[in-house]
Amino acid sequence: MHAAQIVACTDGPLLVRGDFELVSSSGEAVERTRGTVALCRCGASAIKPFCDGTHKLVGFRTEPAPPDPEGDAA
Amino acid sequence: MDVAESAAAAGTRSTSSDDDRFQAPPFTARGPVSEQLLAALRRPTADADETLAGFSATVADALARTADVARDDDLQLSLLILHGLHYGGVVDADEEWEWHPETVAARVAIERAFERQLRDQVPGVAAPPAEAEAVASALFELTKPTPGPSVARFIAKQATDEQAREYVVLRSVYTLKEADAQTWSIPRLSGRAKAALVEIQADEYGGGRPERMHSALFARTMRELGLDDAYGAYLDAVPALTIASFNLMGMFGLNRRLRGASAGHYASYEMTSSLPNRMLGDGFRRLGYGTEVTDYFDEHVEADAVHEQIAGRDLAGGLAEQEPALVSDIMFGATAAMLVDGWAAERTLEEWTAGRSALRRERGIDLGTRRDEVA
């Protein structure tokens, strides 16, 4: 098993693969059924700590929105 | 040709069905092409001169007469049977048929016509730059959730037990062979795209546990509903468009030149899976079913939230960076998946909202009812 790699997916979850442990805040192992997991980072998943795709419904963005070209902001 | 010659030398043959050595499939022909094909598959390839006499002309004639390959029952069923010779488990037949020139020619002829229709009807989308992030972003944009009616919402909120069973039957055409069509792409890819597809497929196939294979989870859902999980058991009741949806991915998977379309198609499937599967699981829970039935749907909520990231960025995006000329086919594959599945879903919703069955009910299919239902 290779060292853990975390992919910070644009507008989406943190994808974790490789050798890692996933534990709760009390240190207990979180049951996982697959090698590569997607961890929620929008806060809206119903199956936390895993991603369930809800970031798409809540308009989660990982980058600041580009300035509105027609906006008045200085 | 040893096998064929020894079979031919085995003795005199008649056209009587007593001589058929292979079992009839659990479904029936829908026109002249599937009729001749199914009859031929009951007999060995050694009899092809007799059983497939005039077959290429029959296929050509059917293709010339149809105005809509995607909705043509005879042609779509025939293509499923022909692809089935490659998959296995669709028709009991002489295994030599898989690469028999007549069956290959028919398969390619139907595929070409189907592809032409889709190239013509699939709406064009702007091709993103051949960069992984740009391709992933374009695919996520193309497949983003939309409000309004959908089959998954219908199941979640209002489907009857009967309609939920119909949904499972429709879905079984693909799902009992889930992920197999895409596996054909693996040797046609390299590097990042290949590694991505293998990572997804390992998960689809249960990560080493056969009982967790997605097709096995779906078969369990069918059995728990009291439905027959044998492939094709309800195929007679399935409309052409649903078969076309399955044939589309088989065509993309089996043709190396369409590897871009296959990658795009798969990415769009993964990207439109987590949220609908949550609704589907909720629908079956609403109808009173437990985890034995909903496990398949619940598994996809978590699995496909992983797969969609890998499929978009590393499979489709990685392929685009390796072979920039494939970007337009990646987008075509994704758009074709959305179009054909959209047609099938629209038809299902139309029938259900009009109070009709979404299946070809004239075939007299009985899907049963809940085991614990009180009459």
Side-chain angles (χ1 to χ4, degrees), chain B residues 351-373:
Chain B
E351 300 293 347
W352 283 349
T353 51
R356 293 188 299 262
S357 169
L359 301 179
R360 302 165 82 227
R361 284 292 183 160
E362 69 276 15
R363 309 305 306 188
I365 295 286
D366 178 13
L367 302 183
T369 52
R370 278 192 61 184
R371 288 171 186 170
D372 56 350
E373 207 155 83

PDB file of all heavy atoms in Angstrom, chain B residues 351-373:
ATOM      1  N   GLU B 351     -45.688   7.301 -18.982  1.00  0.00           N
ATOM      2  CA  GLU B 351     -46.583   6.153 -18.753  1.00  0.00           C
ATOM      3  C   GLU B 351     -47.097   6.157 -17.314  1.00  0.00           C
ATOM      4  O   GLU B 351     -48.291   5.985 -17.069  1.00  0.00           O
ATOM      5  CB  GLU B 351     -45.853   4.833 -19.054  1.00  0.00           C
ATOM      6  CG  GLU B 351     -45.335   4.694 -20.482  1.00  0.00           C
ATOM      7  CD  GLU B 351     -46.446   4.588 -21.526  1.00  0.00           C
ATOM      8  OE1 GLU B 351     -47.607   4.374 -21.155  1.00  0.00           O
ATOM      9  OE2 GLU B 351     -46.137   4.752 -22.722  1.00  0.00           O
ATOM     10  N   TRP B 352     -46.194   6.365 -16.369  1.00  0.00           N
ATOM     11  CA  TRP B 352     -46.593   6.315 -14.961  1.00  0.00           C
ATOM     12  C   TRP B 352     -47.574   7.442 -14.610  1.00  0.00           C
ATOM     13  O   TRP B 352     -48.558   7.213 -13.911  1.00  0.00           O
ATOM     14  CB  TRP B 352     -45.366   6.404 -14.043  1.00  0.00           C
ATOM     15  CG  TRP B 352     -44.586   5.121 -13.951  1.00  0.00           C
ATOM     16  CD1 TRP B 352     -44.967   3.884 -14.402  1.00  0.00           C
ATOM     17  CD2 TRP B 352     -43.286   4.949 -13.366  1.00  0.00           C
ATOM     18  NE1 TRP B 352     -43.989   2.967 -14.132  1.00  0.00           N
ATOM     19  CE2 TRP B 352     -42.951   3.574 -13.501  1.00  0.00           C
ATOM     20  CE3 TRP B 352     -42.381   5.807 -12.747  1.00  0.00           C
ATOM     21  CZ2 TRP B 352     -41.738   3.055 -13.031  1.00  0.00           C
ATOM     22  CZ3 TRP B 352     -41.176   5.282 -12.277  1.00  0.00           C
ATOM     23  CH2 TRP B 352     -40.860   3.923 -12.421  1.00  0.00           C
ATOM     24  N   THR B 353     -47.290   8.647 -15.089  1.00  0.00           N
ATOM     25  CA  THR B 353     -48.184   9.751 -14.718  1.00  0.00           C
ATOM     26  C   THR B 353     -49.541   9.612 -15.409  1.00  0.00           C
ATOM     27  O   THR B 353     -50.532  10.146 -14.931  1.00  0.00           O
ATOM     28  CB  THR B 353     -47.563  11.125 -15.039  1.00  0.00           C
ATOM     29  OG1 THR B 353     -47.109  11.119 -16.386  1.00  0.00           O
ATOM     30  CG2 THR B 353     -46.386  11.441 -14.128  1.00  0.00           C
ATOM     31  N   ALA B 354     -49.585   8.840 -16.505  1.00  0.00           N
ATOM     32  CA  ALA B 354     -50.873   8.592 -17.161  1.00  0.00           C
ATOM     33  C   ALA B 354     -51.558   7.362 -16.572  1.00  0.00           C
ATOM     34  O   ALA B 354     -52.590   6.912 -17.073  1.00  0.00           O
ATOM     35  CB  ALA B 354     -50.654   8.403 -18.666  1.00  0.00           C
ATOM     36  N   GLY B 355     -50.943   6.786 -15.534  1.00  0.00           N
ATOM     37  CA  GLY B 355     -51.551   5.626 -14.880  1.00  0.00           C
ATOM     38  C   GLY B 355     -51.337   4.321 -15.638  1.00  0.00           C
ATOM     39  O   GLY B 355     -52.049   3.340 -15.416  1.00  0.00           O
ATOM     40  N   ARG B 356     -50.358   4.326 -16.555  1.00  0.00           N
ATOM     41  CA  ARG B 356     -50.097   3.102 -17.324  1.00  0.00           C
ATOM     42  C   ARG B 356     -48.781   2.470 -16.878  1.00  0.00           C
ATOM     43  O   ARG B 356     -47.971   3.086 -16.215  1.00  0.00           O
ATOM     44  CB  ARG B 356     -50.005   3.434 -18.829  1.00  0.00           C
ATOM     45  CG  ARG B 356     -51.316   3.897 -19.451  1.00  0.00           C
ATOM     46  CD  ARG B 356     -51.174   4.018 -20.968  1.00  0.00           C
ATOM     47  NE  ARG B 356     -50.173   4.986 -21.354  1.00  0.00           N
ATOM     48  CZ  ARG B 356     -50.442   6.252 -21.710  1.00  0.00           C
ATOM     49  NH1 ARG B 356     -51.683   6.682 -21.722  1.00  0.00           N
ATOM     50  NH2 ARG B 356     -49.471   7.068 -22.042  1.00  0.00           N
ATOM     51  N   SER B 357     -48.579   1.247 -17.301  1.00  0.00           N
ATOM     52  CA  SER B 357     -47.321   0.557 -17.033  1.00  0.00           C
ATOM     53  C   SER B 357     -46.222   1.098 -17.938  1.00  0.00           C
ATOM     54  O   SER B 357     -46.470   1.454 -19.086  1.00  0.00           O
ATOM     55  CB  SER B 357     -47.493  -0.940 -17.293  1.00  0.00           C
ATOM     56  OG  SER B 357     -46.227  -1.573 -17.288  1.00  0.00           O
ATOM     57  N   ALA B 358     -44.995   1.162 -17.414  1.00  0.00           N
ATOM     58  CA  ALA B 358     -43.850   1.571 -18.234  1.00  0.00           C
ATOM     59  C   ALA B 358     -43.262   0.381 -18.983  1.00  0.00           C
ATOM     60  O   ALA B 358     -42.320   0.520 -19.754  1.00  0.00           O
ATOM     61  CB  ALA B 358     -42.772   2.220 -17.362  1.00  0.00           C
ATOM     62  N   LEU B 359     -43.819  -0.803 -18.725  1.00  0.00           N
ATOM     63  CA  LEU B 359     -43.336  -2.009 -19.405  1.00  0.00           C
ATOM     64  C   LEU B 359     -44.235  -2.350 -20.582  1.00  0.00           C
ATOM     65  O   LEU B 359     -45.329  -1.808 -20.715  1.00  0.00           O
ATOM     66  CB  LEU B 359     -43.307  -3.184 -18.423  1.00  0.00           C
ATOM     67  CG  LEU B 359     -42.430  -3.013 -17.181  1.00  0.00           C
ATOM     68  CD1 LEU B 359     -42.525  -4.249 -16.299  1.00  0.00           C
ATOM     69  CD2 LEU B 359     -40.981  -2.739 -17.563  1.00  0.00           C
ATOM     70  N   ARG B 360     -43.776  -3.264 -21.406  1.00  0.00           N
ATOM     71  CA  ARG B 360     -44.612  -3.786 -22.498  1.00  0.00           C
ATOM     72  C   ARG B 360     -45.506  -4.850 -21.876  1.00  0.00           C
ATOM     73  O   ARG B 360     -45.196  -6.033 -21.899  1.00  0.00           O
ATOM     74  CB  ARG B 360     -43.734  -4.376 -23.590  1.00  0.00           C
ATOM     75  CG  ARG B 360     -42.739  -3.391 -24.187  1.00  0.00           C
ATOM     76  CD  ARG B 360     -41.657  -4.100 -24.982  1.00  0.00           C
ATOM     77  NE  ARG B 360     -42.049  -4.448 -26.345  1.00  0.00           N
ATOM     78  CZ  ARG B 360     -41.852  -5.632 -26.894  1.00  0.00           C
ATOM     79  NH1 ARG B 360     -41.295  -6.596 -26.204  1.00  0.00           N
ATOM     80  NH2 ARG B 360     -42.226  -5.868 -28.146  1.00  0.00           N
ATOM     81  N   ARG B 361     -46.604  -4.391 -21.296  1.00  0.00           N
ATOM     82  CA  ARG B 361     -47.423  -5.288 -20.497  1.00  0.00           C
ATOM     83  C   ARG B 361     -48.197  -6.311 -21.320  1.00  0.00           C
ATOM     84  O   ARG B 361     -48.720  -7.286 -20.782  1.00  0.00           O
ATOM     85  CB  ARG B 361     -48.392  -4.489 -19.628  1.00  0.00           C
ATOM     86  CG  ARG B 361     -47.711  -3.850 -18.440  1.00  0.00           C
ATOM     87  CD  ARG B 361     -47.243  -4.900 -17.449  1.00  0.00           C
ATOM     88  NE  ARG B 361     -46.653  -4.251 -16.284  1.00  0.00           N
ATOM     89  CZ  ARG B 361     -46.502  -4.830 -15.098  1.00  0.00           C
ATOM     90  NH1 ARG B 361     -46.891  -6.066 -14.919  1.00  0.00           N
ATOM     91  NH2 ARG B 361     -45.947  -4.174 -14.115  1.00  0.00           N
ATOM     92  N   GLU B 362     -48.258  -6.079 -22.635  1.00  0.00           N
ATOM     93  CA  GLU B 362     -48.960  -7.060 -23.457  1.00  0.00           C
ATOM     94  C   GLU B 362     -48.229  -8.404 -23.413  1.00  0.00           C
ATOM     95  O   GLU B 362     -48.749  -9.427 -23.817  1.00  0.00           O
ATOM     96  CB  GLU B 362     -49.114  -6.560 -24.904  1.00  0.00           C
ATOM     97  CG  GLU B 362     -47.831  -6.474 -25.724  1.00  0.00           C
ATOM     98  CD  GLU B 362     -47.036  -5.182 -25.508  1.00  0.00           C
ATOM     99  OE1 GLU B 362     -47.310  -4.472 -24.522  1.00  0.00           O
ATOM    100  OE2 GLU B 362     -46.140  -4.917 -26.324  1.00  0.00           O
ATOM    101  N   ARG B 363     -46.984  -8.371 -22.879  1.00  0.00           N
ATOM    102  CA  ARG B 363     -46.238  -9.620 -22.779  1.00  0.00           C
ATOM    103  C   ARG B 363     -46.675 -10.448 -21.581  1.00  0.00           C
ATOM    104  O   ARG B 363     -46.162 -11.536 -21.371  1.00  0.00           O
ATOM    105  CB  ARG B 363     -44.732  -9.336 -22.666  1.00  0.00           C
ATOM    106  CG  ARG B 363     -44.177  -8.406 -23.719  1.00  0.00           C
ATOM    107  CD  ARG B 363     -44.459  -8.866 -25.124  1.00  0.00           C
ATOM    108  NE  ARG B 363     -44.003 -10.232 -25.377  1.00  0.00           N
ATOM    109  CZ  ARG B 363     -43.997 -10.790 -26.563  1.00  0.00           C
ATOM    110  NH1 ARG B 363     -44.435 -10.117 -27.615  1.00  0.00           N
ATOM    111  NH2 ARG B 363     -43.579 -12.006 -26.712  1.00  0.00           N
ATOM    112  N   GLY B 364     -47.601  -9.921 -20.784  1.00  0.00           N
ATOM    113  CA  GLY B 364     -48.140 -10.704 -19.678  1.00  0.00           C
ATOM    114  C   GLY B 364     -47.138 -11.010 -18.580  1.00  0.00           C
ATOM    115  O   GLY B 364     -47.093 -12.115 -18.047  1.00  0.00           O
ATOM    116  N   ILE B 365     -46.297 -10.033 -18.251  1.00  0.00           N
ATOM    117  CA  ILE B 365     -45.285 -10.229 -17.213  1.00  0.00           C
ATOM    118  C   ILE B 365     -45.911 -10.006 -15.836  1.00  0.00           C
ATOM    119  O   ILE B 365     -46.624  -9.030 -15.621  1.00  0.00           O
ATOM    120  CB  ILE B 365     -44.126  -9.222 -17.418  1.00  0.00           C
ATOM    121  CG1 ILE B 365     -43.409  -9.503 -18.733  1.00  0.00           C
ATOM    122  CG2 ILE B 365     -43.177  -9.217 -16.237  1.00  0.00           C
ATOM    123  CD1 ILE B 365     -42.526 -10.728 -18.725  1.00  0.00           C
ATOM    124  N   ASP B 366     -45.625 -10.910 -14.912  1.00  0.00           N
ATOM    125  CA  ASP B 366     -46.108 -10.766 -13.537  1.00  0.00           C
ATOM    126  C   ASP B 366     -44.923 -10.456 -12.629  1.00  0.00           C
ATOM    127  O   ASP B 366     -43.997 -11.248 -12.507  1.00  0.00           O
ATOM    128  CB  ASP B 366     -46.786 -12.071 -13.095  1.00  0.00           C
ATOM    129  CG  ASP B 366     -47.258 -11.992 -11.643  1.00  0.00           C
ATOM    130  OD1 ASP B 366     -47.276 -10.879 -11.079  1.00  0.00           O
ATOM    131  OD2 ASP B 366     -47.601 -13.048 -11.083  1.00  0.00           O
ATOM    132  N   LEU B 367     -44.953  -9.285 -12.015  1.00  0.00           N
ATOM    133  CA  LEU B 367     -43.843  -8.880 -11.158  1.00  0.00           C
ATOM    134  C   LEU B 367     -44.113  -9.159  -9.683  1.00  0.00           C
ATOM    135  O   LEU B 367     -43.318  -8.790  -8.830  1.00  0.00           O
ATOM    136  CB  LEU B 367     -43.542  -7.384 -11.340  1.00  0.00           C
ATOM    137  CG  LEU B 367     -43.200  -6.922 -12.757  1.00  0.00           C
ATOM    138  CD1 LEU B 367     -42.859  -5.447 -12.741  1.00  0.00           C
ATOM    139  CD2 LEU B 367     -42.051  -7.726 -13.337  1.00  0.00           C
ATOM    140  N   GLY B 368     -45.230  -9.770  -9.389  1.00  0.00           N
ATOM    141  CA  GLY B 368     -45.539 -10.083  -7.996  1.00  0.00           C
ATOM    142  C   GLY B 368     -45.880  -8.845  -7.186  1.00  0.00           C
ATOM    143  O   GLY B 368     -46.036  -7.750  -7.720  1.00  0.00           O
ATOM    144  N   THR B 369     -45.985  -9.041  -5.890  1.00  0.00           N
ATOM    145  CA  THR B 369     -46.231  -7.924  -4.974  1.00  0.00           C
ATOM    146  C   THR B 369     -45.421  -8.175  -3.721  1.00  0.00           C
ATOM    147  O   THR B 369     -44.760  -9.196  -3.607  1.00  0.00           O
ATOM    148  CB  THR B 369     -47.723  -7.854  -4.558  1.00  0.00           C
ATOM    149  OG1 THR B 369     -48.095  -9.145  -4.086  1.00  0.00           O
ATOM    150  CG2 THR B 369     -48.596  -7.425  -5.698  1.00  0.00           C
ATOM    151  N   ARG B 370     -45.472  -7.242  -2.802  1.00  0.00           N
ATOM    152  CA  ARG B 370     -44.733  -7.434  -1.553  1.00  0.00           C
ATOM    153  C   ARG B 370     -45.185  -8.710  -0.869  1.00  0.00           C
ATOM    154  O   ARG B 370     -46.361  -9.007  -0.779  1.00  0.00           O
ATOM    155  CB  ARG B 370     -44.983  -6.243  -0.615  1.00  0.00           C
ATOM    156  CG  ARG B 370     -44.104  -5.069  -0.941  1.00  0.00           C
ATOM    157  CD  ARG B 370     -44.182  -4.051   0.165  1.00  0.00           C
ATOM    158  NE  ARG B 370     -43.712  -4.601   1.427  1.00  0.00           N
ATOM    159  CZ  ARG B 370     -43.757  -3.934   2.577  1.00  0.00           C
ATOM    160  NH1 ARG B 370     -44.265  -2.730   2.618  1.00  0.00           N
ATOM    161  NH2 ARG B 370     -43.296  -4.483   3.667  1.00  0.00           N
ATOM    162  N   ARG B 371     -44.170  -9.444  -0.361  1.00  0.00           N
ATOM    163  CA  ARG B 371     -44.467 -10.747   0.243  1.00  0.00           C
ATOM    164  C   ARG B 371     -45.401 -10.624   1.440  1.00  0.00           C
ATOM    165  O   ARG B 371     -46.244 -11.473   1.668  1.00  0.00           O
ATOM    166  CB  ARG B 371     -43.172 -11.395   0.722  1.00  0.00           C
ATOM    167  CG  ARG B 371     -42.307 -11.895  -0.402  1.00  0.00           C
ATOM    168  CD  ARG B 371     -40.976 -12.315   0.174  1.00  0.00           C
ATOM    169  NE  ARG B 371     -40.042 -12.671  -0.881  1.00  0.00           N
ATOM    170  CZ  ARG B 371     -38.750 -12.881  -0.657  1.00  0.00           C
ATOM    171  NH1 ARG B 371     -38.271 -12.754   0.560  1.00  0.00           N
ATOM    172  NH2 ARG B 371     -37.953 -13.190  -1.636  1.00  0.00           N
ATOM    173  N   ASP B 372     -45.198  -9.548   2.217  1.00  0.00           N
ATOM    174  CA  ASP B 372     -45.984  -9.440   3.456  1.00  0.00           C
ATOM    175  C   ASP B 372     -47.245  -8.601   3.258  1.00  0.00           C
ATOM    176  O   ASP B 372     -47.894  -8.221   4.214  1.00  0.00           O
ATOM    177  CB  ASP B 372     -45.122  -8.821   4.568  1.00  0.00           C
ATOM    178  CG  ASP B 372     -44.536  -7.481   4.173  1.00  0.00           C
ATOM    179  OD1 ASP B 372     -44.652  -7.134   2.984  1.00  0.00           O
ATOM    180  OD2 ASP B 372     -43.972  -6.800   5.039  1.00  0.00           O
ATOM    181  N   GLU B 373     -47.545  -8.313   1.977  1.00  0.00           N
ATOM    182  CA  GLU B 373     -48.713  -7.455   1.721  1.00  0.00           C
ATOM    183  C   GLU B 373     -50.011  -8.216   2.017  1.00  0.00           C
ATOM    184  O   GLU B 373     -50.189  -9.364   1.625  1.00  0.00           O
ATOM    185  CB  GLU B 373     -48.720  -7.025   0.254  1.00  0.00           C
ATOM    186  CG  GLU B 373     -49.428  -5.709   0.049  1.00  0.00           C
ATOM    187  CD  GLU B 373     -48.909  -5.026  -1.198  1.00  0.00           C
ATOM    188  OE1 GLU B 373     -49.403  -5.391  -2.281  1.00  0.00           O
ATOM    189  OE2 GLU B 373     -48.033  -4.164  -1.088  1.00  0.00           O
TER     190      GLU B 373
END
